[in-house]
Amino acid sequence: MSEDTILRETQETQETQETQETQEPQADQATRGTEPSAQAEKREFQTEIRQLLDIVIHSLYTNKEIFLRELISNAADACEKIRYLALIGEEIRGGGESHDLGIKITVDDKANTLTISDNGIGMTREELIENLGTIAHSGSKSFLSYLAEHRDQAPDLSLIGQFGVGFYSAFMVAQKVVIQTLSGDPEAEACCWISEGLGSYTLGTGTRQERGTSIEIWLKEDAAHLASAESIKLIINKYSNFVPYPVSVNDEKINTVEAIWVKNRKEVTDEEYAEFYKFFAGAYDEPIARLHFSSDAPLSLQALLFVPGSNMERFGFNRTERGVNLFCKKVLIQEKCENILPEWLRFVRGIVDCEDLPLNISRETLQDSALLQKLNRMVTSRLLKFWEELARDDSKKYEAFWQEFGVFLKEGAATDFVNRQELLKLLRFESSMTDPGELTGLDEYIDRMPDSQKAIYFASGPNREGIEQGPYLEIFRESHYEVLYTYQTIDDYVLLNIGSYKEKPLLSVDQENEEMPDLDATNPPRMEEAKADQLVDWLKEVLKDKVKEVRVSKRLVESPAVLLSVGTSHSMSRLYQSMSEVAGLPGNAFNDVLEINTNHEVLQGIDRLRIDEDPFARTAAEQLLIAAQMAAGLSVDPRLLVTGLNELLAKALSN
């Protein structure tokens, strides 16, 4: 239904009501609720309120249950006003003892009614007219302006009750609403307000004897399920479990869990934190870590965040859902909010309660993007600072966290440009200078670098043994340069895409790069330069379709040859190769450089075969390349490997 249609039908409804008003029959007390006194008067809603009610009643609305959250929030506000007036010494009808304040909900499945009562501030006759009959405080004009601004889109009716018009959401489920209220002002009289949401309301003398407000809702047929105590309990547990006053349903207290995030950290025990985590997250394990903090600037907020005991994504489960709920003054605004934290922090569980959320905007669909961006930056920054402090003060606990959730921080380092530098401080790796299982960070690595070292080096492989047995670390052992060990492709992706850290280039040891260390003059070549050049030229001709370049290595000590990747690392080459195979595209572009160790007996033997023009020299050269490819972890055609090995066996056995 378009906004123009809604407003047009509203006007038609109003005209029909005006012509029929004098002919409206008296309602049957048994089915229509408590009738007003004889002194009651019938009043028309202000035009904007009539438009709003028509939208609520006649438009489709999928999440009708939020009406209860709105009414409970209003009741809690009424109780809070009494508490405040008592604190400042105001005279209040019935006294202001805060321990007696509460909200009672009564469900009658036979009468199909639902009543929400509080003993808060109540309302005077003038306040009923001002709050419920006009736009003075309701925010209806803001809501209608929103519809006008979005006339090209379907109305986002989840905004009802979020422009400060929460009371009117009751008409989504009510055929009639009866309000009995008695103000805390000792001079005020009890009032009764009745409306069917059709453009008018009746206001008269009420029957309430105690201060507060009762809202009796006569449910529509399609909302009859709400006349069930169990249904009401579920809604309260979802939205209003942490309101600051007791909420009962048919005399059973429902909100039994305390909102500990608003308490001082020193007042909450470890056991209380653990129990709250299990309740909130529906978990059975203990959290690895928790962060409980509050802030007054630039936003006023209180937060309690947990790191779960395990990362379920590691076990092949579906992508983890967001786990942080957004509250405002202990009332749920949005469950599993996607705006509080970036995607890579989806594993965090907890609550962020921001008092600065504008209540005239939304409790379901938040629109103030600037405020949410500020909130996102605040909470994310605080988490990063928390993990940095944990890594410094309790390295064992941080390493336990890293083992479970480090992959998420790597994801953040690859995708979150705003927080990248802070995330890089948190990355952890094994290295050539740590014991197996011991982790180190980039800052510690830089602190250990000798003055002659100009870059941060890393080597990739399936495990520590595989990396250390390969040819790539030989020059680094000779130079006493530390090398970080990376075991996952995402590690290389992150480090190569970042490029540098604190002005130090990040280089894979299997890269072709000028920043790599070279062997010095203490290990001179045993093959003459002219002879080595001839061998290189011959290998280029033999392997011209398989490598980009062949040259004498300055980094090999014990191995005969090594294959270097140009512009990336071999782990990334493997990833690209795999992706190409899946997509049916050409694979290896032969963009590698083969470096040979002319001091090694294998190369000297190949050179002798070359000089003697022995056909087996070509086979040996090809096997040399295959061995280098396998050492690099690249995919090799097993048929070529088997053929070459058979020729080598035949040659060896014939001698």
Side-chain angles (χ1 to χ4, degrees), residues 2-14 54:
S2 69
E3 186 242 348
D4 291 335
T5 302
I6 291 171
L7 298 184
R8 184 175 63 254
E9 291 186 359
T10 301
Q11 298 298 328
E12 293 173 356
T13 301
Q14 294 165 10
D54 193 73

Side-chain angles (χ1 to χ4, degrees), residues 105 268 386 628 647:
I105 300 175
V268 186
F386 167 70
E647 291 187 38

Side-chain angles (χ1 to χ4, degrees), residues 311-322 343 346-347 349 408:
N311 169 20
M312 302 310 293
E313 284 191 19
R314 292 181 60 191
F315 304 106
F317 287 86
N318 293 333
R319 191 175 183 85
T320 301
E321 287 187 333
R322 303 294 185 96
E343 170 69 12
R346 59 188 177 275
F347 65 93
R349 298 285 178 264
F408 292 99

